Amino acid sequence: MSEVPVQSAGSARPARPNPNAVVAVLALSGITVSLMQTLVIPIVPELPKYLDASASNAAWAVTATLLAAAVATPVAGRLGDMFGKRLMLLVSLVLLVSGSVVAALSDTLVPMIVGRALQGLAAAVVPLGISIMRDELPPERLAGSTALMSASLGVGGALGLPAAAFIADHYDWHVLFWTSAALGVVAFTLVMLLVPESKVRSGGRFDAVGAVGLAVGLVSLLLAVSKGADWGWASGTTLGLFALAVVVLLAWGFFELCTAQPLVDLRTTVRRQVLFTNLASIAFGFSMFAMSLVIPQLLQLPTQTGYGLGRSMLTVGLVMAPQGLVMMAFAPLSAAITKARGPKVTLMTGAVIVAAGYGLNIVLMSEVWHLILVSCVIGAGVGFAYGAMPALIMGAVPASETAAANSLNTLMRSIGTSVASALAGVILAQMTISLGGTTLPSENGFKVVMAIGAGAAALAFVLASFLPGRRPAEPEPAPATAAPAAESVH
């Protein structure tokens, strides 16, 4: 189904928004939200003590964010297309601030899980920001700006880890969440002041049944993937959740094809350019997260293992931080290649660089500078790829579906990271050594995970080769005439 974009006449909007201000504010918002990925990593080992809970229950502080983000991202994207992308961006930031405050005030498990879930509901900020850029920026600025916005997913995570480790080491752990609340308030204020509301709307009726179906299917799938190692992969709970996910998602897909105004237009998602971009996104999400699992463990394992480097969590953060800066630095180069050769070439280039980085990691893992070099190489490749994906998606969907399509692409990356976490966890749990009565992942286990990360990047390269070779179409211009806001909902 393709809906006709309408414009609301009463929107307050600057006649000529400042492109630099729009890009800077949206990128800051993306970085702020992506900080949530690494915010609790430094305190995960201590969470059971802080919350007076078992380790398995305390792990829900991480799982809740993942599940909430998976559900919120496609829903917020669709609502953004219908009622305004800036509006949904502001709502997402309010949820982020609310979740941060709830977590900052918590000393027990339940409010912490609630707060972390609210933070996860803000995950749609990056795809919404990319979609706002399509509507507001001149065509010549779009490629570089969307590459920077897309890279903010990795930038925030990489820069947040050392900052979170420093705060956790020197202050009460609640300060982590007060800090994220303050950043959210700053981002909200700047969006209110400097980012205009797009007049491009799809209108229509919200597909509540489709939203519930997708939520049930995704939560079942990701819960089974993320908790399967704890529950047992052959346990009735894990297998039941996988079965429920398959049944619900198949039924959801049939319903979406039959309904007049679906949450996700599946006919658009099977277009060659959209389909293979999303499949490559899953592979890239897997590949990027594999590095995030391997390098911190190699740095922190005791030197007595012969391959661990015995460093602190703060050192881990400082080693990982340059990766985020490299991703940001390579965004303009990614955009330049996209303009010259098309985003397909950019995506394939990124895949080659990531695969090379993992290959390098297999032979260079005995010194801190080895791991800094590897993380920067992989970060450069991911920067290329993440910059190309929005260009590919926006070149294949109408302007009225931009937020929904970008949100689905972001969801695909998240699914890739979830699968990477589960698979790497299984491998490292099976390939172990014993040190002083403690079971630790073996060096060969890490090398296997790195080889699989390289294989995932190679798979992304193969998938990208099936993309159309032509450059994507320029963003569709908004209609010249405005319709009353009431006409956008029928």
Side-chain angles (χ1 to χ4, degrees), residues 50-53 102-103 105-113 173-174:
Y50 293 153
L51 302 175
D52 192 22
V102 170
L105 294 173
S106 68
D107 286 305
T108 55
L109 182 63
V110 172
M112 171 62 81
I113 292 174
W173 64 274
H174 294 89

Side-chain angles (χ1 to χ4, degrees), residues 472-488:
E474 293 294 337
E476 295 179 3
T481 58
E487 294 179 5
S488 66

Side-chain angles (χ1 to χ4, degrees), residues 340-369:
R341 303 295 300 275
K344 173 183 176 179
V345 173
T346 309
L347 185 59
M348 295 175 75
T349 302
V352 171
I353 295 173
V354 170
Y358 277 109
L360 198 62
N361 202 181
I362 292 174
V363 296
L364 292 178
M365 53 185 289
S366 59
E367 302 286 346
V368 171
W369 73 265

Side-chain angles (χ1 to χ4, degrees), residues 242-409:
F242 276 127
L244 179 63
V246 170
V247 171
V248 170
L249 290 175
L250 286 175
W252 171 80
F254 179 78
F255 177 82
E256 293 295 282
L257 289 171
C258 295
T259 192
Q261 298 176 6
L263 177 75
V264 177
D265 189 344
L266 294 180
R267 292 180 176 84
T268 298
T269 63
V270 297
R271 291 176 187 171
R272 181 176 162 194
Q273 187 159 314
V274 177
L275 175 63
F276 281 99
T277 301
N278 284 333
L279 291 175
S281 297
I282 296 175
F284 263 107
F286 183 105
S287 193
M288 180 180 178
F289 199 71
M291 175 198 62
S292 301
L293 288 169
V294 168
I295 291 180
Q297 292 196 57
L298 285 174
L299 284 163
Q300 290 185 283
L301 283 173
T303 55
Q304 291 89 335
T305 60
Y307 51 89
L309 299 177
R311 303 306 175 102
S312 67
M313 176 57 74
L314 180 58
T315 301
V316 172
L318 294 174
V319 168
M320 299 294 287
Q323 176 208 12
L325 299 176
V326 168
M327 289 179 67
M328 183 179 293
F330 273 77
L333 182 56
S334 168
I337 295 175
T338 295
K339 288 179 181 178
R341 303 295 300 275
K344 173 183 176 179
V345 173
T346 309
L347 185 59
M348 295 175 75
T349 302
V352 171
I353 295 173
V354 170
Y358 277 109
L360 198 62
N361 202 181
I362 292 174
V363 296
L364 292 178
M365 53 185 289
S366 59
E367 302 286 346
V368 171
W369 73 265
H370 290 172
L371 300 182
I372 294 175
L373 174 63
V374 166
S375 68
C376 287
V377 171
I378 295 175
V382 172
F384 274 104
Y386 278 18
M389 288 170 190
L392 286 161
I393 293 295
M394 292 189 293
V397 302
S400 59
E401 299 177 16
T402 303
N406 277 322
S407 296
L408 183 63
N409 180 251

